Amino acid sequence: MKIGIISGSHRQDSQSAKIANYLAKLLGETHPKIGTWIHDLGKEPLPMWDEALFTGGEHWAPLAKLREQCASTDGFIIIAPEWHGMAPAAVKNFFLVLGNAGEIAHKPGLLVSLSVLTGGANALCELRMSSYKNSRICYIPEQLVIRNVMGVFNDDASANNPEEHDYFVDRGKYALNQLVEYARALKLVRDSGAGDLAPFPNGM
């Protein structure tokens, strides 16, 4: 089994990337046989959607590797910081670019948002409302809203707020366990053929 992690911040050195790496570490500790990969949209941004996506524009050539990774992956962690009460453009663009080819269809997604202060929920609501339609990603009921993110999931233990960090480690493991079980279950759906996108490639 393989889990892909999308770090959705535009920043080069982001808290989203920090969270991505820490969740990958937690997943490795609790499920050592599961592989992970991280695509950091701050360091490896995707071109903004344009029509050349469908006609083989040269700037879309690097997308082939990400498509292959997503196609061979059983579940996803989507990390979206809340910016101005919204999910960042890079995350929305990820779904526009990978929304119709089936690489993420009928695979579970764990949504994670974060805020330096006490926000975070709006980005998750936005993604739950719109990003699944054509992509057919299946968001699991559990999610993580990591507030006061500067004080948790730091490799330097002295930089962590002990109470909040320990809580989010436990909550993270709980959410990751659910993601793994949904990944196992939804493989049966994909293998059944019931999720064939050929008759209706776009959601309603």
Side-chain angles (χ1 to χ4, degrees):
M1 183 182 293
K2 193 187 300 181
I3 300 295
I5 306 175
I6 306 300
S7 174
S9 174
H10 297 240
R11 298 180 189 274
Q12 289 281 313
D13 185 19
S14 68
Q15 291 294 307
S16 296
K18 179 189 80 173
I19 298 302
N21 285 301
Y22 207 95
L23 289 176
K25 184 176 91 170
L26 282 183
L27 189 60
E29 290 173 356
T30 54
H31 299 277
K33 293 184 178 180
I34 295 178
T36 60
W37 55 267
I38 298 172
H39 189 94
D40 184 343
L41 291 171
K43 293 181 178 176
E44 297 181 87
L46 298 174
M48 292 301 289
W49 184 96
D50 62 26
E51 288 132 326
L53 175 66
F54 304 115
T55 58
E58 186 176 335
H59 58 291
W60 287 110
L63 183 62
K65 179 183 176 183
L66 181 58
R67 286 193 185 283
E68 289 175 7
Q69 281 183 309
C70 290
S72 66
T73 294
D74 300 285
F76 295 91
I77 300 170
I78 307 294
I79 302 174
E82 184 175 304
W83 287 5
H84 299 279
M86 301 180 290
V91 177
K92 303 287 280 188
N93 187 57
F94 170 81
F95 287 103
L96 289 174
V97 170
L98 284 153
N100 288 89
E103 293 94 344
I104 57 180
H106 305 294
K107 296 177 181 180
L110 168 64
L111 281 171
V112 180
S113 188
L114 54 127
S115 174
V116 172
L117 296 175
T118 58
N122 288 334
L124 300 190
C125 292
E126 182 181 356
L127 291 174
R128 283 192 183 278
M129 180 178 68
S130 62
S131 60
Y132 71 92
K133 175 184 169 288
N134 288 355
S135 71
R136 268 46 174 238
I137 193 170
C138 298
Y139 291 125
I140 68 173
E142 190 64 25
Q143 61 189 20
L144 293 173
V145 184
I146 303 175
R147 300 183 170 105
N148 302 309
V149 69
M150 304 293 284
V152 301
F153 285 6
N154 296 296
D155 288 329
D156 178 2
S158 67
N160 291 322
N161 176 311
E163 185 176 349
E164 290 191 352
H165 175 76
D166 291 347
Y167 170 78
F168 278 114
V169 166
D170 290 342
R171 193 71 190 240
K173 289 178 179 178
Y174 176 75
L176 291 170
N177 285 338
Q178 289 195 32
L179 177 65
V180 168
E181 294 306 318
Y182 272 94
R184 292 192 175 110
L186 285 178
K187 186 177 187 302
L188 299 176
V189 174
R190 296 195 304 279
D191 290 348
S192 75
D196 181 14
L197 300 183
F200 302 104
N202 298 319
M204 293 186 72

